[in-house]
Amino acid sequence: MKRGGQLLAAVAGLVAAIPVYYLTDAAARALRGGTVAFAPAPSALAYVAGVAVLVRLLTVWPVAALACGVPLTAAGVLFALDLGSAVDLAATLPWARAGGLPWTSGPVPWAEPGEPPGTLAGMTGLYALTGAFLVLSALLPARRRPLLGG
């Protein structure tokens, strides 16, 4: 890949980190809501599927996978090692106090009071797992990478 292509892939990976972060958070919240209500959570499946599609697309370009995976892994490690600092940092993110994520609607609030976006997904290790998967996929030898990326 040429230098311009690598830069574009890195930018795409950084930009993709935002929806992966928020979709993972939405999936964790929907799963919690389904568990609390002892009911199915089809929206959780949709959010997880969205994350899976984005992650699969990112694994095609190793630079993009690294650019997205490293921040997600760092977020996961921060949640695992210093929950207070991670929650404080998450409270500074966009939509943390706006009352809802752009794709959520309905009378049910998207977050528990005082719980910034990413808290549940961070505490459960979803960011660390997703980020580590992306980083490891980027470090695999070329012959073991996904078929689409070659």
PDB file of all heavy atoms in Angstrom, residues 1 13 27 43 54:
ATOM      1  N   MET A   1       0.846  -1.170   0.000  1.00  0.00           N
ATOM      2  CA  MET A   1       0.000   0.000   0.000  1.00  0.00           C
ATOM      3  C   MET A   1       0.895   1.238   0.000  1.00  0.00           C
ATOM      4  O   MET A   1       1.849   1.328   0.748  1.00  0.00           O
ATOM      5  CB  MET A   1      -0.897  -0.026   1.244  1.00  0.00           C
ATOM      6  CG  MET A   1      -1.908   1.081   1.257  1.00  0.00           C
ATOM      7  SD  MET A   1      -2.945   1.130   2.749  1.00  0.00           S
ATOM      8  CE  MET A   1      -3.896  -0.332   2.584  1.00  0.00           C
ATOM      9  N   GLY A  13      -9.535   4.294  10.115  1.00  0.00           N
ATOM     10  CA  GLY A  13      -9.542   3.540  11.367  1.00  0.00           C
ATOM     11  C   GLY A  13      -9.853   4.415  12.563  1.00  0.00           C
ATOM     12  O   GLY A  13     -10.628   4.027  13.440  1.00  0.00           O
ATOM     13  N   ALA A  27     -24.877  -1.620  22.523  1.00  0.00           N
ATOM     14  CA  ALA A  27     -25.138  -3.059  22.624  1.00  0.00           C
ATOM     15  C   ALA A  27     -25.109  -3.512  24.082  1.00  0.00           C
ATOM     16  O   ALA A  27     -25.985  -4.268  24.524  1.00  0.00           O
ATOM     17  CB  ALA A  27     -24.111  -3.837  21.813  1.00  0.00           C
ATOM     18  N   SER A  43     -32.520  -5.154  19.718  1.00  0.00           N
ATOM     19  CA  SER A  43     -31.661  -4.018  19.370  1.00  0.00           C
ATOM     20  C   SER A  43     -30.209  -4.311  19.710  1.00  0.00           C
ATOM     21  O   SER A  43     -29.294  -3.866  19.009  1.00  0.00           O
ATOM     22  CB  SER A  43     -32.134  -2.742  20.067  1.00  0.00           C
ATOM     23  OG  SER A  43     -32.087  -2.898  21.468  1.00  0.00           O
ATOM     24  N   LEU A  54     -18.327  -3.477  11.097  1.00  0.00           N
ATOM     25  CA  LEU A  54     -17.240  -2.483  11.090  1.00  0.00           C
ATOM     26  C   LEU A  54     -15.886  -3.132  11.368  1.00  0.00           C
ATOM     27  O   LEU A  54     -14.892  -2.829  10.700  1.00  0.00           O
ATOM     28  CB  LEU A  54     -17.517  -1.378  12.104  1.00  0.00           C
ATOM     29  CG  LEU A  54     -18.587  -0.376  11.719  1.00  0.00           C
ATOM     30  CD1 LEU A  54     -18.907   0.541  12.890  1.00  0.00           C
ATOM     31  CD2 LEU A  54     -18.140   0.437  10.523  1.00  0.00           C
TER      32      LEU A  54
END
